[in-house]
Amino acid sequence: MNELLEIQDFVQEIAQATSLALNLNVEIVDNSLLRIAGTGLSKKKIGNYFRKEGVVNRFIFHKNLNKVIISSPGKDERCSKCDLYGKCDTTAAVYAAIIIDNETVGAIGLLAHNNDQSKIIDENNKVMLDFVNSMATLMSSKVLENKMIVELRSSLKFNNIIMDSIDKGILIIDNASTIKEVNDYMLDKLNMNKIDLINKPIHQFFENFDLESIEEIDDFETINELDYNFHGRHLKLFYRFKPIAVDNDITRIVLIIDDEKDIFKMAKQISNKEITFKDIISSDLNFINFKNTAKEISSYESTMLLVGETGTGKDLFAQAIHNNSIRKSKPFITVDCGAIPESLIESELFGYEKGAFTGASNQGKKGKFYLANGGSIFLDELENMPLYLQQKILRVLEEQTIEPLGGTNTIQVDVRVISATNKDLAGLVKEGKFREDLYHRLNVIPLNIPPLRDRGNDVIILSNYFIEKYNNKFNKNIIGLTEKVEEIFRRHDWKGNIRELQNAIEYSVTLCKKDYIQIEDLPIHIKGSTGLVQGTTLKEVEKKHIEKALDKFGLSEKGKLEAAKYLGISRATIYRKIKEFNIA
């Protein structure tokens, strides 16, 4: 690429300005010896090539000299190889290399063609050298600037190509809420031309956009409403955003925009793992019959209550039920009622309007019921639902409406509710800890999931399934369980059910160094429950196991929940055990 030729107009301006300032002729050549610019006699030669045997080529380009000054070009020994030696019309010359990134890309020369001009060069050698070197540096800077502009244009073109290939709307605004860029997808969505949006205030099209709240948050996670109202056309859109700061000042804000269909599709992709009844493994005839019954019932729209001990797979059944229903293409949203602090659960379920409470986002927030519209919502650990919220859940079931926290208008939703518990809800009703009307409304079709200990040989079938899973994960080749371990597994009560079994297999696979999992590879609480740990009571083994889990995950709220999951026990159980064993 001829870098000087790309800025030829600028180079010619430098040549003319220099010639006027010094009363000398100027010529500028690139590293292919092509004259790029010139004045006086050299101007007529623009577009022609320098002589290869000339001083410029031999000393500037071949010997990599930064500066060359020749008082008598036609007589100087350095010019002896030139075919113009002895008859050169140049009486004095000063050349400087134009250098970019340590590479000589050209040269600029000051030329004298009479005695007066020669005198200027001869009497001011140092000044001439410094001046011509400054002009060379100026052109180097211009070349670099031009390269940056070309790269910037290429980057912008590339970014625009990327933006236009994204299957979502993109708006880029500045810190004055002016639209600076928009992609094709967004233009199609709004049925507008780019010229109608660029450099226009965003509020002209989206009345409820709030720039102040944008500047408070720095991620793409928060979903906010954006109402498009223009020329009688109305669209309900949603956006996420990312402020772009330079030196801690926000200069641009990127908005990723979806419509309602996109949001519900995204919610489904995030939450629905496509679990089907085929993924629920069993060889036990009674459990297979139970699974077939659940599958048959799932195709109806009735509310379902899954009851079973912790770790029995209630979440898997809930997903399989959803994916076997007419709602399978819609969102499946899970809410762990036991993991969300009571102070936040209402806003998580029903959302909130902006400014609904201290610390609330100025954009408000959509709740789980809203995101589940058209699909299913799974309320896990239902027994932890606060009494004051149970009335609202009842209203959703009976009227199919929700009211966001701090709002005054109700929103119509179409949601199938699947709930789950490991408690006796009827007993909680008698104790006044659960609303009777909500219990009957949720308990339309109850499904009592059998525990692992009642599923015959499934404990071995599932063990082999998990061994294969963790073989792949840990790059191992374990064949299965020894006969003694199989016997222990069949006798173990598996209070944590499948979750406990999965954790036990993961633990054992990591320790196993043979073809089959041995007794010594088993978690200590399973060996302890079989009397294989001498001189230690079961309670001591249990306490030690819980302490090790808490050491691993920490004593924070999140750590306790992770420890419970690791141990295959419920949140309530680990809190009870922490209190029982006085674990700090």
Side-chain angles (χ1 to χ4, degrees):
M1 181 179 69
N2 196 323
E3 295 169 314
L4 288 175
L5 194 59
E6 288 191 354
I7 58 167
Q8 186 175 23
D9 290 343
F10 176 80
V11 171
Q12 181 62 27
E13 288 176 7
I14 292 292
Q16 290 171 345
T18 302
S19 179
L20 286 172
L22 300 178
N23 192 27
L24 295 168
N25 291 324
V26 178
E27 62 184 8
I28 299 169
V29 60
D30 70 7
N31 55 5
S32 70
L33 299 182
L34 178 70
R35 267 192 185 84
I36 302 296
T39 64
L41 295 174
S42 295
K43 187 174 183 179
K44 298 176 182 179
K45 299 176 182 178
I46 293 174
N48 296 329
Y49 286 91
F50 266 53
R51 289 171 173 77
K52 290 183 179 180
E53 66 274 13
V55 171
V56 173
N57 186 37
R58 288 189 293 115
F59 288 91
I60 296 293
F61 295 124
H62 283 185
K63 292 190 177 182
N64 292 320
L65 297 179
N66 290 342
K67 302 170 190 175
V68 175
I69 186 166
I70 302 176
S71 298
S72 303
K75 302 174 182 178
D76 195 300
E77 187 178 346
R78 288 172 292 179
C79 299
S80 60
K81 294 185 179 181
C82 178
D83 60 355
L84 292 177
Y85 184 66
K87 53 184 178 179
C88 182
D89 59 5
T90 302
T91 57
V94 178
Y95 287 97
I98 302 171
I99 299 171
I100 299 173
D101 295 332
N102 297 319
E103 179 185 352
T104 301
V105 299
I108 177 173
L110 304 179
L111 309 178
H113 291 289
N114 55 52
N115 290 332
D116 290 338
Q117 288 181 330
S118 294
K119 190 176 181 180
I120 293 172
I121 293 177
D122 291 340
E123 293 179 358
N124 301 279
N125 279 349
K126 186 177 187 305
V127 174
M128 292 297 104
L129 285 170
D130 289 344
F131 188 89
V132 77
N133 187 62
S134 295
M135 293 301 101
T137 301
L138 179 61
M139 283 183 281
S140 298
S141 300
K142 187 64 179 179
V143 168
L144 290 172
E145 178 187 332
N146 188 64
K147 286 176 69 175
M148 288 177 64
I149 291 171
V150 170
E151 288 175 5
L152 181 59
R153 286 174 179 164
S154 298
S155 296
L156 288 172
K157 186 175 181 180
F158 181 68
N159 289 340
N160 286 335
I161 291 171
I162 293 175
M163 281 176 57
D164 289 335
S165 67
I166 293 173
D167 196 22
K168 289 183 183 295
I170 296 179
L171 273 177
I172 299 177
I173 64 173
D174 63 15
N175 54 11
S177 297
T178 302
I179 298 171
K180 306 308 291 184
E181 193 55 76
V182 58
N183 71 340
D184 288 345
Y185 183 93
M186 193 68 197
L187 293 173
D188 291 341
K189 182 79 69 178
L190 302 181
N191 193 26
M192 294 182 73
N193 295 317
K194 195 168 189 175
I195 194 171
D196 299 325
L197 286 170
I198 296 298
N199 293 325
K200 302 286 184 8
I202 192 172
H203 299 95
Q204 183 175 331
F205 310 97
F206 305 100
E207 297 173 357
N208 65 331
F209 178 77
D210 184 1
L211 179 63
E212 289 184 5
S213 64
I214 287 280
E215 295 178 349
E216 294 173 0
I217 305 175
D218 191 23
D219 58 48
F220 272 136
E221 296 179 2
T222 305
I223 299 174
N224 311 281
E225 278 192 28
L226 197 62
D227 292 323
Y228 173 74
N229 290 293
F230 194 71
H231 288 175
R233 190 168 184 227
H234 176 75
L235 289 174
K236 184 176 281 296
L237 305 170
F238 298 88
Y239 71 92
R240 293 165 288 148
F241 51 83
K242 179 76 174 179
I244 299 174
V246 178
D247 295 330
N248 296 320
D249 291 326
I250 293 175
T251 59
R252 291 289 188 270
I253 299 164
V254 181
L255 277 68
I256 306 293
I257 300 173
D258 304 275
D259 62 18
E260 286 184 287
K261 291 180 182 177
D262 296 326
I263 286 291
F264 295 142
K265 182 180 178 181
M266 182 173 64
K268 174 179 171 58
Q269 290 172 342
I270 292 171
S271 59
N272 190 3
K273 300 176 183 175
E274 301 297 338
I275 298 294
T276 68
F277 283 100
K278 288 182 180 179
D279 298 308
I280 301 175
I281 301 168
S282 178
S283 64
D284 182 70
L285 183 60
N286 291 331
F287 189 82
I288 291 172
N289 289 336
F290 168 78
K291 188 172 71 165
N292 290 337
T293 300
K295 183 177 180 180
E296 183 179 351
I297 294 170
S298 65
S299 60
Y300 299 101
E301 285 289 275
S302 302
T303 302
M304 302 181 74
L305 176 64
L306 306 177
V307 181
E309 296 176 6
T310 183
T312 50
K314 297 184 287 295
D315 55 335
L316 296 183
F317 270 96
Q319 291 179 62
I321 289 166
H322 170 79
N323 287 322
N324 196 56
S325 72
I326 59 173
R327 298 174 180 264
K328 62 184 179 181
S329 62
K330 302 296 182 180
F332 174 83
I333 303 295
T334 296
V335 180
D336 188 344
C337 302
I340 305 173
E342 187 173 325
S343 59
L344 296 178
I345 191 167
E346 182 174 5
S347 62
E348 283 291 317
L349 287 172
F350 304 109
Y352 58 82
E353 300 292 343
K354 61 181 181 179
F357 52 86
T358 302
S361 167
N362 288 337
Q363 296 295 314
K365 181 180 179 179
K366 297 301 178 188
K368 303 291 190 183
F369 272 102
Y370 185 91
L371 293 175
N373 191 29
S376 306
I377 191 165
F378 175 48
L379 303 177
D380 198 10
E381 295 195 27
L382 182 69
E383 69 276 2
N384 293 295
M385 181 72 66
L387 276 169
Y388 78 94
L389 272 187
Q390 293 179 21
Q391 172 60 38
K392 277 200 166 188
I393 301 293
L394 186 65
R395 181 179 179 180
V396 178
L397 291 167
E398 292 180 343
E399 301 177 15
Q400 291 286 286
T401 61
I402 59 172
E403 185 177 305
L405 195 63
T408 55
N409 298 321
T410 59
I411 300 172
Q412 198 75 30
V413 291
D414 173 24
V415 179
R416 181 186 192 181
V417 176
I418 304 169
S419 52
T421 182
N422 59 10
K423 301 295 182 184
D424 176 15
L425 285 189
L428 294 178
V429 168
K430 289 179 182 178
E431 296 173 15
K433 296 179 180 179
F434 201 88
R435 290 182 64 106
E436 184 173 8
D437 48 3
L438 179 59
Y439 169 68
H440 291 302
R441 193 68 182 78
L442 292 171
N443 198 35
V444 176
I445 299 181
L447 285 175
N448 290 281
I449 302 174
L452 180 58
R453 59 183 168 276
D454 293 341
R455 290 173 53 176
N457 200 48
D458 276 0
V459 66
I460 307 303
I461 299 294
L462 289 168
S463 293
N464 291 327
Y465 169 80
F466 290 131
I467 287 171
E468 183 178 353
K469 174 181 176 178
Y470 292 112
N471 272 341
N472 293 330
K473 182 176 180 179
F474 301 130
N475 195 28
K476 296 228 176 180
N477 294 296
I478 298 166
I479 298 171
L481 310 173
T482 64
E483 289 185 7
K484 288 184 178 180
V485 171
E486 285 189 4
E487 183 182 346
I488 290 169
F489 275 23
R490 287 191 176 94
R491 290 203 315 262
H492 188 64
D493 57 6
W494 299 109
K495 290 181 179 179
N497 290 285
I498 299 169
R499 188 179 299 128
E500 182 188 358
L501 174 63
Q502 182 174 353
N503 292 340
I505 294 297
E506 181 177 3
Y507 178 94
S508 301
V509 168
T510 60
L511 293 184
C512 184
K513 294 179 174 59
K514 298 181 179 179
D515 291 339
Y516 291 86
I517 291 175
Q518 313 289 313
I519 293 175
E520 57 266 26
D521 301 324
L522 299 179
I524 192 169
H525 77 284
I526 294 180
K527 288 190 286 189
S529 67
T530 61
L532 294 168
V533 180
Q534 301 298 322
T536 307
T537 67
L538 183 54
K539 276 196 171 185
E540 288 171 334
V541 171
E542 189 176 19
K543 178 183 179 182
K544 187 172 181 180
H545 204 60
I546 291 172
E547 286 176 334
K548 286 180 70 176
L550 291 171
D551 285 342
K552 180 176 181 179
F553 297 104
L555 288 166
S556 64
E557 176 77 14
K558 183 180 179 182
K560 290 172 184 175
L561 291 175
E562 289 293 328
K565 182 179 179 181
Y566 176 76
L567 294 168
I569 58 179
S570 69
R571 173 178 176 271
T573 299
I574 196 165
Y575 274 97
R576 189 176 69 253
K577 293 295 182 182
I578 288 171
K579 184 177 181 181
E580 178 185 340
F581 295 135
N582 194 26
I583 299 173

